[in-house]
């Protein structure tokens, strides 16, 4: 994969572990939104703890990326859906453990009215391998 980080002072700097844009070429992997479900049992993980839910979401994303022959280093774009934007810092803290700020993907983060199974966080991603 060919990958370059785009940064310009003509637009606002990122406020977390992401970049303004990524230019990439190769095969694209589109990973569906993941929530905090245990693959073996189908049960929700984390209860009302957004940190625990985010850890499981990231583990689920990592498993799918690996099945596609990709890693978090290949991710060029993510979307984070939050039930409550007040959880942004907690989610960001977990999310940041998976991406180096210098090469992190582009990202959008939005608060939504409701998520599947009433979870607190859902994340999808696009990777290029």
């Amino acid at each position: 994969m060919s990958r370059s980080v785009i940064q310009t002072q003509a637009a606002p700097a990122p406020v977390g572990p992401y970049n303004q844009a990524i230019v990439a070429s190769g095969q694209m992997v589109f990973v569906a939104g993941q929530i905090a479900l245990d693959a073996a049992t189908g049960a929700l993980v984390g209860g009302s703890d957004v940190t625990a839910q985010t850890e499981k979401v990231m583990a689920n994303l990592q498993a799918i990326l690996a099945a596609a022959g990709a890693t978090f280093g290949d991710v060029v774009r993510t979307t984070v859906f939050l039930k409550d934007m007040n959880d942004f810092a907690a989610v960001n803290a977990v999310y940041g453990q998976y991406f180096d700020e210098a090469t992190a993907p582009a990202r959008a983060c939005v608060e939504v009215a409701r998520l599947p199974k009433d979870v607190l966080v859902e994340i999808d991603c696009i990777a290029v391998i």
Side-chain angles (χ1 to χ4, degrees):
M1 167 183 74
S2 168
R3 180 179 188 193
S4 301
V5 173
I6 303 299
Q7 293 183 358
T8 177
Q9 292 182 355
V15 294
Y18 64 93
N19 279 294
Q20 293 169 323
I22 303 291
V23 175
S25 63
Q27 276 191 304
M28 297 180 74
V29 179
F30 296 86
V31 180
Q34 295 300 301
I35 61 175
L37 287 178
D38 181 273
T41 66
L44 285 173
V45 174
S48 62
D49 181 349
V50 73
T51 297
Q53 284 195 18
T54 305
E55 288 167 350
K56 184 59 178 168
V57 167
M58 296 305 288
N60 289 344
L61 288 171
Q62 189 169 36
I64 295 167
L65 288 167
T71 68
F72 281 115
D74 299 312
V75 173
V76 296
R77 175 80 160 95
T78 64
T79 308
V80 178
F81 303 95
L82 297 176
K83 172 71 175 156
D84 184 346
M85 194 57 79
N86 289 319
D87 290 334
F88 179 82
V91 171
N92 219 30
V94 174
Y95 179 97
Q97 294 173 19
Y98 292 84
F99 296 106
D100 174 32
E101 283 199 37
T103 59
R107 180 180 79 182
C109 182
V110 296
E111 180 179 282
V112 296
R114 193 168 181 200
L115 290 165
K117 298 194 178 276
D118 294 316
V119 296
L120 303 175
V121 59
E122 178 176 359
I123 303 174
D124 69 16
C125 69
I126 299 171
V128 179
I129 53 174

